[in-house]
Structure formats: C-alpha cells, structure tokens
Amino acid sequence: MNLNTARALTATGMLLAATAVGMIDTSHNTASALSPRPCGFYSLNLPQGEQTGGYVHCGDSFILIRAHWDTGTTFTSCIPPWGSRPFYKDGAHKVVNAYYIPTRPNLSGPPGNQMCSTSQPRS
C-alpha cells in the first residue's frame, strides 16, 4: 500500500468515526442518568420510572434525614455511610425535599458490621 492510499484510508476512517460520535444520543435524560448524583437531596425533573428523586450521603457515618412530601407530611430515614436513598411516587404525590438532621439514627448489629434499624426516631 502506498503512502497516499494509507493517508486516504486514515482520513476516511477518521471522518466515519467523527460522524458516528456525533450520532450518539446525549439528551439531557441520558446524560443525567449516567452522571453521578450530588451529595444531599436531588429531584428528577423527568421521573425515571417511579423514581422522582433521592438523597446521597457523602460521609463516613450513619445519618438520619428528614424528608417532606408535597402534602406537608414528613418522615425520617437512616442513610448508611456513602449510601443513597431513592424516593418514589406515592400515587400523585412525591418527596419535595430531604435534609440531614442531627439526631442519631437507630442502628443494629455488632460493632464493625452495623446497619440501619427498621425503626427510626421521628424527631
């Protein structure tokens, strides 16, 4: 193969690769589904299935969060170290905010292998 033919094939390959990359769908939904979530509460503008948002904990300790429904009611939830908690629709209602509260969560299990208990303080 001579040098001119090799250059032409290389240029053609680069053009095809650039065209293929340009055809990849990078819509907002796809990009947001692949990007990591920020620490704390997040809301999904377009629900992903039944999920409307969540909470991501970026720390080495168990924490308790308070979440608010759009009806005004609240609940608490324990989040493990570096854990997350998705929020899902409940009929027409959804969680609109969640934040850390300084109340110690209830834990179960032996030291070094603890997990969140099923019941948590309502503070």
Side-chain angles (χ1 to χ4, degrees):
M1 180 181 304
N2 67 29
L3 187 58
N4 287 336
T5 304
R7 285 182 181 160
L9 289 174
T10 300
T12 302
M14 290 174 66
L15 177 63
L16 290 173
T19 302
V21 168
M23 294 175 67
I24 295 173
D25 178 19
T26 57
S27 67
H28 178 70
N29 289 343
T30 304
S32 67
L34 298 176
S35 63
R37 299 285 178 216
C39 300
F41 175 75
Y42 65 91
S43 179
L44 299 172
N45 292 333
L46 297 172
Q48 295 175 358
E50 294 290 308
Q51 185 179 355
T52 59
Y55 189 94
V56 176
H57 174 46
C58 301
D60 287 330
S61 61
F62 287 87
I63 65 166
L64 194 64
I65 63 168
R66 176 174 292 125
H68 292 259
W69 288 97
D70 57 4
T71 59
T73 58
T74 65
F75 65 93
T76 57
S77 183
C78 175
I79 310 288
W82 303 102
S84 63
R85 164 85 155 76
F87 298 127
Y88 298 97
K89 291 191 294 185
D90 183 14
H93 303 292
K94 68 177 193 169
V95 172
V96 294
N97 193 17
Y99 51 88
Y100 164 81
I101 57 174
T103 303
R104 190 168 189 271
N106 295 331
L107 304 177
S108 61
N113 194 20
Q114 291 186 313
M115 63 180 94
C116 295
S117 293
T118 54
S119 65
Q120 293 298 326
R122 288 278 311 151
S123 65

